[in-house]
């Protein structure tokens, strides 16, 4: 007699959004249906795809009968809601409604998590459902789960991330071809690596949202996008990139999340610094080798030491991989019980202002080529408590007396002191111009 | 009125083994007690440490009152058992006893998992407890959880891992100093990177156990250490390393787990090839940059594309980081319910013999320097169905006629065909000697 196996349960999956990622998710749910069912212990039935306009042409493999403009109705008849719309509203309202109705949530929405994560966590806790978001940071690269679970028995000291593929592509092109910023952005646009309006990427908004999520997980502390000091790459010049090259380094837009030393009374635990800015990274650092639109996250933990996670940070298929991994995890919980991790914000460390962050600067100046100038410049550093590590002076020639290039690398100091030093240098009569200022990380 | 918080529950943790890893785990359980309690939702109370001999001197920070030689009694009074003894017995008997008594298990025991994993999974399922083992593969690097959970919605095509720090250190030294195998092993021993008896590392046993675990997770298929084709690095010569360098490559001991193409009837899914052997890796491949005793695992998945996980693969503190991460995860399940993933072996793909693996060879020969030799050598390749990609001939001078070095790189072919080619070359009258044979991966 043939063995009669019970059919696996069926979970209703609602998909919000049908762009590049949503289409890939929808397609994989069909193409890999048997594999996913075997792994999840339940069949994942796509019951609807919420879109803004029903009539638009869709990618092949999307069943038009699943499309609906009634997102609110859709989320109430799902066991799991996958959100790939992005932005704050209507995503937030839909996810809160979904969880209130008992659905678990898988989202790729970094902006929403970085803006209002605690509210989503609270809704998940109240409903006893899962809130998963691996796809929100660095696409296909597992980084949320490693921080949330793998490293939960360790003390993360620092995370340095190349988490925006567009800016990494642009800076990589500037490094390898000598192109200026505008030219590299145009190339990125023509290849589909940058949006027609690249603001969210090049001004660092995207990376700042990811930095907030990473810092929240790594330090068990609520960090919002608004808490993140943010500088984009629009001010990075071909001269900056060349200065970095001369110093054996590359320029990367880094998301930096690190613990800061205790400052004294009532601050025994110290705080955290969370920031996004361009920085020089020595070529021998593993992050320097992250080329093109790839992403990588470098983690320093007390026991684990240095770890790096590397891969594709964006794109429909890679992001769908992360979404589907979460979907299977959430489905397993539906089948066998249990829930993933809730919010962990018990440490509640203060987020320190940028001025207190301990950084190092690499400054390139043009100065008068005459005796005493180096002493004058050195005095400006000393006046601001900034200690010089190396100086290199190169005559540039020119009119009587001529000018010289002065490249100064500092020791570590509070960022405010270094920023004030640069301001004072610009105003110093010995200095003709400050031609490049970059922070240095990863040394 | 002050808020009255309920005290968190207490979980009893039993530690089996008090070597380098066990000591680090015991110390962290004390030093980080408050942090771990906040993250796990329960206090983790170390109730005993099973050791073979009670009288031995221990590292500082280990409470002697916790030491016991009664491991069997200890596991029966624990909620979670952490096993860092290694080897098959008594570890297996103790873990089975622990799970039967209702304890969850965290283990770093790659040999046991690769030998008898399914039995452990079955015991965990029967008891409804967790079986976690992040520390069994690549120390602190999260790779078990990413394969088991993050990539579970994707199709892993291939995993290439540098998963043994000792052999990577040895090969790296041979590459950077030109040292021979014996000399590099002695250096590794003097620095503590290799055991007095380095067999388990240099013969590839350690890497083979890890390959079995990785392949089982990646392909949802049971793979035991005995199924893994294994070649160590004892046969790698300074000449091989130099030949690799000339070819713009480095020699790495790789754990390779990959899907194989369907062979025909009744094999629609194809199979898997799981093997450990030295291979030439081009210097531009991310794995080539893994220096010293570091580990890295490179994953190719259908949707996610290429991912790499990099970090410290061994050592007390890094391994303890992975153990403690698992311990917190398991503790959370004790507190809020649920369980981690069970065994996933539904795909049940056949493990193909080494001869069927598709590989590429890089062969260095010494031949008579006379007309017609190249044709003779090429004929040997052709006779075995091995297609030549490049040949480079260099006269070596010497007696009348003299000799020449011939470096041949093949296209992909079944390993059996390439191995037979090398055997035939060695027997060919045109060939004075086969001086180096290396497989090529990562191109």
């Amino acid at each position: 007699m043939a063995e009669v196996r019970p059919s696996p349960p069926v979970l209703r999956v609602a998909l919000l959004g049908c762009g590049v990622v949503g289409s890939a998710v929808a397609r994989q749910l069909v193409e890999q249906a048997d594999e996913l069912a075997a792994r999840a212990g339940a069949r994942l039935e796509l019951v609807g795809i919420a879109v803004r306009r029903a009539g638009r042409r869709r990618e092949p493999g999307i069943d038009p009968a699943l499309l609906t403009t009634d997102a609110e109705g859709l989320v109430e008849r799902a066991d799991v809601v996958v959100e790939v719309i992005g932005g704050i509203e209507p995503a937030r309202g839909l996810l809160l409604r979904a969880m209130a109705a008992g659905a678990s949530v898988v989202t790729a929405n970094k902006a929403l998590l970085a803006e209002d994560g605690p509210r989503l966590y609270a809704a998940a806790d109240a409903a006893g459902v899962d809130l998963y978001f691996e796809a929100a940071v660095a696409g296909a690269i597992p980084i949320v789960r490693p921080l949330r679970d793998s490293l939960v028995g360790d003390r993360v000291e620092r995370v340095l991330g190349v988490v925006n593929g567009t800016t990494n592509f642009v800076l990589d092109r500037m490094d390898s071809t000598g192109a200026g910023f505008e030219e590299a952005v145009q190339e990125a646009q023509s290849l589909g690596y940058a949006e027609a309006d690249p603001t969210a990427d090049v001004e660092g908004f995207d990376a700042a949202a990811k930095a907030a999520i990473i810092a929240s997980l790594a330090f068990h502390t609520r960090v919002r996008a608004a808490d993140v000091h943010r500088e984009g790459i629009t001010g990075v010049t071909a001269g900056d990139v060349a200065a970095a090259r001369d110093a054996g380094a590359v320029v990367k837009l880094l998301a930096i999340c690190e613990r800061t030393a205790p400052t004294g009374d009532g601050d025994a635990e110290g705080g955290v610094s969370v920031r996004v800015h361009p920085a020089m990274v020595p070529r021998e650092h593993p992050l320097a080798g992250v080329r093109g639109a790839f992403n990588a996250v470098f983690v320093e933990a007390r026991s684990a030491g240095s770890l790096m996670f590397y891969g594709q940070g964006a794109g429909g298929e890679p992001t769908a991989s992360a979404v589907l991994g979460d979907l299977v995890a959430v489905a397993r919980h539906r089948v066998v019980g249990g829930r993933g991790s809730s919010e962990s914000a018990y440490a509640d460390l203060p987020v320190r202002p940028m001025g207190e962050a301990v950084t190092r600067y690499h400054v390139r100046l043009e100065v008068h080529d005459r005796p005493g100038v180096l002493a004058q410049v050195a005095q400006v550093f000393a006046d601001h408590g900034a200690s010089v590590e190396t100086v290199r002076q190169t005559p540039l020639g020119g009119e009587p007396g001529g000018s010289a290039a002065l490249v100064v690398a500092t020791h570590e100091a509070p960022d405010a002191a270094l920023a004030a030093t640069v301001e004072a240098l610009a105003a110093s009569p010995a200095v003709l111009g400050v031609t490049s200022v970059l922070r240095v990380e990863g040394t």
Side-chain angles (χ1 to χ4, degrees), chain A:
Chain A
M1 209 173 87
E3 189 191 357
V4 179
R5 295 202 198 181
S7 5
V10 174
L11 291 176
R12 296 161 300 169
V13 178
L15 182 57
L16 309 181
C18 198
V20 179
V21 178
S23 303
V25 170
R27 220 168 29 236
Q28 297 284 342
L29 280 172
V30 175
E31 284 177 13
Q32 291 205 73
D34 292 345
E35 297 272 310
L36 293 171
R39 297 174 189 183
R43 293 202 75 81
L44 303 173
E45 190 196 346
L46 185 56
V47 295
I49 308 175
V51 293
R52 232 177 320 174
R53 289 184 302 279
R56 260 181 78 184
R57 181 186 298 273
R58 303 289 162 186
E59 298 202 19
I62 306 299
D63 179 357
L66 291 174
L67 301 176
T68 172
T69 52
D70 177 19
E72 301 200 345
L74 177 61
V75 301
E76 293 192 346
R77 54 189 173 91
D79 300 301
V80 185
V81 171
V82 175
E83 185 265 310
V84 289
I85 310 175
I88 306 303
E89 291 294 354
R92 175 170 55 194
L94 290 169
L95 294 186
L96 292 173
R97 181 184 280 252
M99 291 191 277
S104 287
V105 161
V106 174
T107 174
N109 194 330
K110 66 203 112 256
L112 176 55
L113 285 159
E115 163 87 18
D116 216 4
R119 190 158 157 204
L120 296 180
Y121 277 120
D125 285 345
V129 298
D130 274 329
L131 171 63
Y132 272 57
F133 49 90
E134 184 63 75
V137 184
I141 308 171
I143 182 63
V144 170
R145 192 174 265 107
L147 288 172
R148 214 178 178 187
D149 296 317
S150 307
L151 287 164
V152 74
D154 206 333
R155 179 183 164 95
V156 176
E157 301 288 356
R158 194 157 192 248
V159 182
L160 294 181
V162 172
V163 293
N164 180 272
T166 304
T167 48
N168 201 56
F169 179 88
V170 168
L171 293 170
D172 189 25
R173 293 304 289 170
M174 290 173 72
D175 179 53
S176 57
T177 69
F181 172 75
E182 290 297 343
E183 190 187 335
V185 167
Q186 280 162 22
E187 185 182 353
Q189 285 168 326
S190 72
L191 291 168
Y193 289 126
E195 308 276 342
D197 175 1
T199 310
D201 295 314
V202 299
E203 295 291 4
F205 289 100
D206 175 82
K210 292 166 178 168
I213 296 171
I214 289 173
S216 299
L217 296 171
F219 304 131
H220 303 269
T221 288
R222 289 180 176 172
V223 180
R224 300 173 65 223
D227 301 325
V228 180
H229 173 84
R230 179 185 51 76
E231 298 172 30
I233 65 164
T234 52
V236 177
T237 64
D240 289 331
V241 173
R245 196 182 310 119
D246 289 347
V250 290
V251 180
K252 296 283 182 196
L253 181 69
L254 294 183
I256 301 165
C257 313
E258 65 186 357
R259 291 181 187 270
T260 58
T263 50
D265 287 351
D267 179 33
E269 288 290 308
V272 295
S273 170
V274 189
R275 54 194 203 264
V276 168
H277 57 68
M280 273 174 48
V281 177
R283 281 193 196 266
E284 56 273 18
H285 192 282
L287 284 178
V290 180
R291 306 293 306 272
F294 272 76
N295 279 196
V297 181
F298 191 81
V299 179
E300 295 169 29
R302 185 158 61 180
S303 293
S306 298
L307 299 170
M308 192 169 81
F309 305 81
Y310 167 91
Q312 292 185 58
E317 293 294 331
T319 308
S321 170
V323 166
L324 289 165
D326 279 356
L327 190 49
V328 170
V330 165
R332 282 176 178 166
H333 289 154
R334 290 267 156 176
V335 176
V336 302
R339 281 178 67 206
S341 313
S342 299
E343 183 181 26
S344 177
Y346 72 90
D348 196 20
L349 301 172
V351 180
R352 293 289 172 195
M354 183 63 197
E356 290 182 18
V358 175
T359 62
R360 297 176 56 213
Y361 273 40
H362 183 274
V363 183
R364 196 172 184 284
L365 309 168
E366 194 176 335
V367 297
H368 292 291
D369 191 4
R370 62 182 184 218
V373 164
L374 183 55
Q376 278 177 279
V377 166
Q379 190 59 45
V380 175
F381 280 88
D383 288 346
H384 293 84
S387 164
V388 170
E389 187 181 58
T390 61
V391 184
R392 199 178 71 232
Q393 194 168 196
T394 317
L396 296 173
E399 70 248 48
S403 67
L406 212 59
V407 176
V408 184
T410 74
H411 283 291
E412 286 190 338
D415 195 77
L418 294 169
T421 307
V422 171
E423 210 168 303
L425 287 168
S428 162
V431 174
L432 292 165
V434 178
T435 52
S436 170
V437 180
L438 285 165
R439 295 189 186 90
V440 181
E441 296 284 343
T443 49

